[in-house]
Amino acid sequence: MSNADASQPQSHLVPVDPMAVDPGPAEAALQQELRGLFEVDTQEGLETYLQQVGHLTPQTWSQDIQTLYRIVHTIKGGAVTVGALTILPVATALEDLLSDLRSVEAAPPLEDGRLADMLSEAGELLASASL
């Protein structure tokens, strides 16, 4: 550093990411309330999801899978809104799987319960990620 530079005041300011700024009390309270609503809605959605998985039938296949997809899509959207980053990858993977199943017009074999078991386990994984 030259002598001319030494006479200039040094700035100790560090650029701040506006998204990293600590929210005010009102914003923090709103975020906490949204997070609480998300948790309640997610719990209710997962209960409905698990009930629906238990009632998969070939006759209602398309409607059942569409309902499961909507539930998971709603949970994923809520996770994005409240920043629930632990649940997001699980919700995204399950949503992708259900999206693929929505394109299957005729129900796969359901009698052995394997698909229902896999979808139930995925729902339980989603539930554990949301805790």
Side-chain angles (χ1 to χ4, degrees):
M1 178 188 300
S2 71
N3 287 340
D5 290 337
S7 66
Q8 297 296 319
Q10 296 293 314
S11 173
H12 296 290
L13 298 176
V14 176
V16 176
D17 177 1
M19 299 306 288
V21 174
D22 189 29
E27 178 69 21
L30 177 61
Q31 287 298 321
Q32 186 174 2
E33 184 176 341
L34 287 174
R35 182 64 185 229
L37 291 171
F38 168 73
E39 290 172 4
V40 169
D41 290 346
T42 297
Q43 184 63 36
E44 290 174 0
L46 288 170
E47 288 173 14
T48 303
Y49 173 93
L50 292 171
Q51 289 171 357
Q52 188 73 40
V53 167
H55 296 99
L56 291 175
T57 65
Q59 296 80 14
T60 59
W61 168 256
S62 293
Q63 180 183 342
D64 295 342
I65 292 301
Q66 182 63 30
T67 298
L68 296 174
Y69 175 84
R70 277 195 312 264
I71 291 167
V72 173
H73 181 74
T74 300
I75 291 170
K76 177 185 163 191
V80 169
T81 300
V82 302
L85 301 180
T86 56
I87 195 173
L88 194 55
V90 178
T92 299
L94 183 52
E95 181 187 48
D96 290 346
L97 171 66
L98 292 167
S99 181
D100 290 345
L101 288 174
R102 288 188 318 165
S103 66
V104 176
E105 292 183 26
L110 300 173
E111 300 80 25
D112 62 6
R114 290 177 56 199
L115 180 59
D117 288 346
M118 287 186 275
L119 291 174
S120 289
E121 288 177 19
E124 290 168 8
L125 181 60
L126 191 57
S128 68
S130 67
L131 298 176

